[in-house]
Amino acid sequence: MAVFALRRLLSSIPTLLIVTLLVFAMVKLLPGDPARLILGQEATPQALAELRRSLGLDRSLPEQYLSWLASAVQLDFGTSLTDNSSVGRLIAQKLPVTLELALFAMLISMLISLPAGILSAVRRNTWIDRALTLFALSGISLPNFFLGILLIYLFSIRLAWIPASGYTSLLENPGRNLLLLLLPAITLGIGSAAVLTRYLRSSLSETLAQDYVRTAHAKGLPAGRVISKHALKNALIPFLTAFGLQLGGLLGGAVITEQIFSIPGFGRLLVDAVFTRDLPVIQAVVLVSAVAVFLVSFLVDLGYAAVDPRIRYH
């Protein structure tokens, strides 16, 4: 397993370098002059030239990229153009919020999708399967912002059980932290659960039709053991793929959900940076999001190897 993990990790390095190049190029292609954004429209040419020199903008693009990459490797993303604060400090403040929300949402998603997907596959073409399929299709079709508003209306306005928005640190008040994250986590988790349910149903249905599963039934093994020990493990690879995609997307920032529930996470940081044209923050958020997706992909690869040991040798 260690050799497989090392091989996967090393193979990701060229892709990560390409991602950093794309992120750097994307920001450079955005309209606007960072020096003029900082000093304003009334700045003199001499002041603009001096600031560009101090920011390194007078150097060639390859030099700027290498300098930025070397700083990013050291987790130095520069300073914000709006308030001159450290971008790295902003990332350190916002990333744990989005990470907690994403993990909470995926926990809810797993608690729904695993039993729903298994039950739908085992009771295929029955009313239970049709009901769960309707749930999955509804969850996939329903936009997050609409579901979030419905949950706020029901649980915050009509029933007054849960605050509509806000955030409290987990370290400051764990109980209130979980309460405030419950609605946004359900909003994100239901959509993910719908997708994962469909993947698991499809994969497990195919696995249950295999000869070795019929043989296990013919030997008189209990149905629960056949599913848990033989069928489910072999049906998990497509499920793990979908799980990684869903978690990677959430770690990139649940922009709309964070805006609706006023959660100071990665998505909201990105939106604020776009509105203020804070290019270093945009660059850092996109880069960290891309790295987070790669890390999730790496963990999913390890999950593949754990589920099917044959993958380690490919």
Side-chain angles (χ1 to χ4, degrees), residues 106 109 188 191-193 195-196 241-251:
M106 293 310 296
S109 175
L188 297 172
S192 297
V195 174
L196 294 178
T241 302
F243 179 85
L245 292 173
Q246 294 295 315
L247 179 56
L250 293 181
L251 289 178

Side-chain angles (χ1 to χ4, degrees), residues 103-222:
L103 293 178
F104 195 3
M106 293 310 296
L107 175 62
I108 292 173
S109 175
M110 292 284 286
L111 292 175
I112 296 173
S113 62
L114 278 175
I118 294 171
L119 188 59
S120 185
V122 172
R123 300 286 185 243
R124 190 175 181 182
N125 296 326
T126 65
W127 69 269
I128 295 176
D129 180 31
R130 295 188 185 96
L132 292 173
T133 299
L134 177 62
F135 156 74
L137 294 177
S138 301
I140 293 171
S141 305
L142 198 63
N144 282 343
F145 73 87
F146 183 67
L147 178 58
I149 292 172
L150 284 180
L151 292 176
I152 289 174
Y153 177 75
L154 176 61
F155 292 103
S156 300
I157 297 177
R158 298 289 297 181
L159 300 176
W161 288 354
I162 304 174
S165 61
Y167 176 78
T168 299
S169 171
L170 181 63
L171 298 177
E172 180 182 337
N173 190 330
R176 184 164 180 80
N177 169 267
L178 295 177
L179 182 66
L180 290 172
L181 285 182
L182 184 59
L183 290 185
I186 292 175
T187 301
L188 297 172
I190 286 179
S192 297
V195 174
L196 294 178
T197 298
R198 296 298 296 165
Y199 270 90
L200 185 56
R201 177 198 180 275
S202 176
S203 179
L204 186 56
S205 296
E206 292 180 7
T207 304
L208 290 174
Q210 298 296 316
D211 290 339
Y212 70 88
V213 176
R214 285 197 291 267
T215 301
H217 281 297
K219 288 181 177 180
L221 292 176

Side-chain angles (χ1 to χ4, degrees), residues 17-18 20-21 24 60-70:
L17 289 175
I18 293 173
T20 61
L21 183 60
F24 177 81
S60 65
L61 288 178
E63 289 179 321
Q64 292 183 47
Y65 168 72
L66 292 175
S67 175
W68 171 75
L69 181 60

Side-chain angles (χ1 to χ4, degrees), residues 87-104 167-171 177 181 250-251 258 263-267 269 288:
V87 176
R89 187 176 295 109
L90 288 175
I91 297 294
Q93 292 172 352
K94 307 298 184 181
L95 182 58
V97 177
T98 294
L99 180 61
E100 183 189 2
L101 174 60
L103 293 178
F104 195 3
Y167 176 78
T168 299
S169 171
L170 181 63
L171 298 177
N177 169 267
L181 285 182
L250 293 181
L251 289 178
E258 290 183 359
I263 297 175
F266 236 34
L269 177 64
V288 173

Side-chain angles (χ1 to χ4, degrees), residues 43-57:
T44 63
Q46 294 80 6
L48 291 172
E50 180 62 30
L51 183 57
R52 292 191 187 103
R53 190 178 304 109
S54 65
L55 294 175
L57 299 177

